Amino acid sequence: MKAPRILFGLALALAASTASAATPAPNVSQYFDLCNGRVRSKVDITFGQTATTATVRTKASAVAPNPFAHGGLGPAPLEYSVFVASSVKKNASSPWSIASTQQDGIVGVAQPDVSIGHSTFKDASCQIKGTVILSSACPSQSGMTHDSRTIERNWVGCGL
């Protein structure tokens, strides 16, 4: 009687580990603040999969004034840069393949979101990741001259 219970437990453990490997990395969809909360950008990193492929889409909005910050930005225009990348390492021996794009602008001047995506065939040693780098000059009220933030999510195994 004990052998079937042990086999059943082993089968459950294997199923659980397979299910967790098949689950994509957690998606990100939130605002990230820079310059002690004076400016911000919305970042989205989204993973997906089909039966044979794994995908990542990385997106960020233009850096804009934080509507919840007091004191405004001051008289000088603030320059910012947003870099987004989607990267794939098809298997343990392959190099990273990177698709990226960048947006430069003035804080508060409307710009479209910057976005890039990548997909790969699934492999047990595949890795896929999304990266966003936010960089901005800061208003004097923030007590900083420049601030940057890197947001990255990595999915090892790509669903296998």
Side-chain angles (χ1 to χ4, degrees):
M1 280 305 227
K2 287 189 177 186
R5 285 186 193 164
I6 292 172
L7 290 175
F8 180 72
L10 182 59
L12 278 178
L14 287 173
S17 68
T18 302
S20 65
T23 304
N27 292 337
V28 176
S29 184
Q30 70 184 69
Y31 284 93
F32 287 88
D33 292 340
L34 298 166
C35 303
N36 287 324
R38 298 287 178 165
V39 297
R40 68 195 312 196
S41 175
K42 184 163 191 264
V43 172
D44 294 293
I45 301 174
T46 309
F47 294 91
Q49 63 180 322
T50 68
T52 58
T53 63
T55 61
V56 61
R57 174 145 302 275
T58 308
K59 180 171 84 169
S61 67
V63 175
N66 184 343
F68 304 107
H70 300 290
L73 296 177
L78 304 173
E79 295 179 355
Y80 76 86
S81 179
V82 174
F83 173 82
V84 297
S86 296
S87 309
V88 172
K89 186 172 177 56
K90 295 179 181 184
N91 58 51
S93 62
S94 68
W96 283 98
S97 168
I98 300 171
S100 65
T101 188
Q102 184 170 326
Q103 179 184 87
D104 298 308
I106 302 296
V107 172
V109 175
Q111 290 268 15
D113 291 347
V114 59
S115 178
I116 198 93
H118 223 107
S119 67
T120 188
F121 288 106
K122 291 181 178 183
D123 180 281
S125 63
C126 156
Q127 292 186 57
I128 192 166
K129 67 182 171 182
T131 305
V132 175
I133 300 172
L134 306 171
S135 178
S136 180
C138 296
S140 58
Q141 304 92 313
S142 71
M144 303 174 76
T145 57
H146 181 267
D147 198 6
S148 64
R149 183 100 185 246
T150 300
I151 302 96
E152 186 172 271
R153 294 296 184 271
N154 193 11
W155 182 14
V156 178
C158 301
L160 288 182

